[in-house]
Amino acid sequence: MSFSIIDTGVGIEDSLLPVLFEPFTRGTVPTEDPDDYPGFGLGLATANSFVKMMGGSIGVTSTPGVGSYFTVQVRLTAAMDQHGRLKEARDIGRDAQGETPQTQIPKGEFSGVRVLLVEDDPLSIEQIRELLARKGIAAVRSSSGSEAVRLFRANPAGTYGAVLVDYHMPVMDGLETARRIRGIEKERKEKPTPIIALTQSAFEEDMAASLGGTIDAGLGKPVDPAKLYSLLNQVLKK
């Protein structure tokens, strides 16, 4: 499936096009007030990440002062009914409204829950924060393992419903971060907080999940929304 988006804004200079979808990339602002165009250059990078997760790509052509033309291509599976026939749009709409059994967690079910997100990759942070927010979960971000340990120690038991930690953090990796959090819990005689390791491969997911008592589960990156919600459903309802 492909679709196009026309942006009649300020346009994009040619020199920026090769790096347009890289994080923190912004062009010059042709106005006297740069605040007219706020942002940190993560919007297109995040969009490109989501499109790649769907097996697609984004293309762009642009003329400064005229506007930009974006083309998005994604691979979507046709919605079929139980007889193998294509569903009509009205039937898909009814499914989305809950007239057929749903497997996703209802929106806002975990409203008020806080999750400690230990991650230093900007794209992962944006993606995971958005996915958590859809379920009413607030992400408290920590950019390093040592900072996460300090945050965990500084707050009372039950502050965080779960901890999501990058398995490959620099200096203090995810496993060591989890070990230190477990040490704090043991010292304070607290109930263990679910810890989910964010990994780069299915092998690492299995390896992380095998560390029972330290890490409860592994979750590959980029994060699959269905897997994330399934894990949260398991650990937050215990």
Side-chain angles (χ1 to χ4, degrees), residues 26 29 31-38:
R26 293 181 60 187
V29 179
T31 69
E32 294 181 0
D33 184 5
D35 290 336
D36 287 344
Y37 294 86

Side-chain angles (χ1 to χ4, degrees), residues 35-207:
D35 290 336
D36 287 344
Y37 294 86
F40 295 100
L42 284 173
L44 286 175
T46 302
N48 190 44
S49 178
F50 278 116
V51 169
K52 283 185 175 180
M53 289 172 61
M54 300 171 69
S57 62
I58 303 178
V60 58
T61 57
S62 186
T63 303
V66 177
S68 306
Y69 184 82
F70 292 85
T71 302
V72 180
Q73 292 185 324
V74 292
R75 298 177 181 177
L76 300 179
T77 303
M80 312 292 286
D81 63 19
Q82 60 182 343
H83 303 294
R85 296 174 299 204
L86 283 173
K87 285 187 177 181
E88 295 186 14
R90 62 174 180 268
D91 297 324
I92 298 172
R94 281 198 294 267
D95 290 348
Q97 293 172 19
E99 294 185 19
T100 60
Q102 298 292 298
T103 58
Q104 292 187 351
I105 301 169
K107 184 176 182 180
E109 180 175 349
F110 298 113
S111 180
V113 172
R114 291 202 291 177
V115 163
L116 182 57
L117 174 59
V118 193
E119 175 63 81
D120 63 349
D121 178 65
L123 290 181
S124 292
I125 292 167
E126 289 289 323
Q127 182 205 12
I128 296 170
R129 273 182 168 173
E130 170 62 24
L131 292 175
L132 293 175
R134 292 179 187 177
K135 302 304 177 185
I137 300 173
V140 179
R141 186 230 168 170
S142 173
S143 59
S144 69
S146 58
E147 182 185 23
V149 172
R150 287 196 298 270
L151 280 172
F152 195 89
R153 181 178 290 279
N155 286 279
T159 297
Y160 305 110
V163 176
L164 298 179
V165 58
D166 184 0
Y167 206 62
H168 292 286
M169 295 288 292
V171 184
M172 185 186 297
D173 64 18
L175 180 56
E176 181 60 25
T177 300
R179 284 172 175 160
R180 296 199 184 191
I181 288 175
R182 294 298 183 223
I184 294 171
E185 292 172 332
K186 185 176 181 180
E187 175 188 322
R188 302 196 301 203
K189 298 180 180 179
E190 298 172 359
K191 179 182 177 181
T193 301
I195 298 179
I196 299 172
L198 303 172
T199 68
Q200 298 292 341
S201 69
F203 171 76
E204 289 179 342
E205 283 186 49
D206 293 339
M207 184 167 60

